[in-house]
Amino acid sequence: MNTLSDAAECLLLVVDVQQHIAQSIPNKVIKRVVKNTNLLMRAAGILDIPIILTERNPGTLGGTELSILSLIEPKNIFSKTHFSACKNKAIADAIDAAKRPQIILTGTEAHISILQTAADLLLRGYTVFVVEDSICARTLENYQNALSRLSRSDAIMTCAESVIFEWVQDSENPKFRKVQSLLN
């Protein structure tokens, strides 16, 4: 199995980075998640990588953080009630329709929706990259537990910058400078 992400093979899945959930997460932590999710989404846009965004119970938990919402087309936003994004037929169908065998996973909360979505994606045969600096939980203990469980599964643990540099592969890539400028 290739443990490097490939821009031509990837789909970015942003899970439940919503206003009400964000309020229950330490400010420094949610800021990191939003910043790195924005970074991944901007790079994905430059590199033509499809993005799917989920919102769990948006009527109760509020909409997606605005800076993230501004980076996605409304047709790629899906509401869900299940914790796993794969339990929602429309989301599962959209993931399958993209025909991208690698899923880059970001969002909240690590020990709930991220863990369950990763497990279901793995069962469906996808290669799953969990972006550690782009996921979080309300408590450090829950975050650490999720990382431990995910790292013992077949999920590949990574960070946002690793993913981005794997996507561009080469400083001679014509889009490298534009992607690199996102890091400044």
Side-chain angles (χ1 to χ4, degrees):
M1 169 174 60
N2 186 3
T3 61
L4 298 176
S5 60
D6 181 331
E9 302 290 316
C10 282
L11 176 141
L12 177 60
L13 181 57
V14 179
V15 177
D16 307 347
V17 186
Q18 293 166 254
Q19 296 160 358
H20 183 72
I21 296 171
Q23 291 170 2
S24 65
I25 294 170
N27 194 43
K28 177 181 172 184
V29 174
I30 196 65
K31 280 185 174 184
R32 171 184 48 83
V33 169
V34 169
K35 175 184 169 232
N36 288 324
T37 299
N38 269 286
L39 175 64
L40 287 163
M41 291 177 77
R42 289 178 191 283
I46 293 167
L47 298 167
D48 301 317
I49 296 167
I51 305 169
I52 292 175
L53 183 142
T54 72
E55 295 179 324
R56 186 170 53 83
N57 294 331
T60 304
L61 298 176
T64 297
E65 286 290 311
L66 294 178
S67 66
I68 290 171
L69 196 57
S70 70
L71 298 173
I72 188 145
E73 295 180 40
K75 68 178 182 166
N76 295 326
I77 301 171
F78 295 86
S79 290
K80 65 184 183 74
T81 58
H82 288 96
F83 299 112
S84 171
C86 295
K87 300 284 191 225
N88 177 295
K89 183 174 175 8
I91 298 169
D93 288 349
I95 291 169
D96 292 342
K99 298 192 183 315
R100 301 286 184 117
Q102 297 181 347
I103 308 296
I104 308 296
L105 192 54
T106 73
T108 69
E109 282 193 68
H111 64 299
I112 304 170
S113 294
I114 297 299
L115 181 68
Q116 291 183 36
T117 298
D120 282 342
L121 287 166
L122 289 165
L123 284 173
R124 294 169 60 88
Y126 287 96
T127 301
V128 178
F129 294 81
V130 177
V131 188
E132 289 183 46
D133 58 358
S134 299
I135 66 170
C136 63
R138 285 167 284 152
T139 68
L140 180 60
E141 295 80 11
N142 287 341
Y143 174 75
Q144 290 173 332
N145 177 267
L147 292 182
S148 175
R149 290 183 67 190
L150 288 161
S151 66
R152 287 192 313 267
S153 74
D154 287 333
I156 298 165
M157 307 308 290
T158 190
C159 65
E161 281 198 25
S162 288
V163 169
I164 289 167
F165 281 93
E166 290 166 21
W167 285 348
V168 294
Q169 296 181 358
D170 186 339
S171 61
E172 295 295 317
N173 181 321
K175 295 181 178 180
F176 171 72
R177 293 245 182 260
K178 192 168 185 183
V179 171
Q180 185 185 34
S181 73
L182 299 174
L183 301 172
N184 299 330

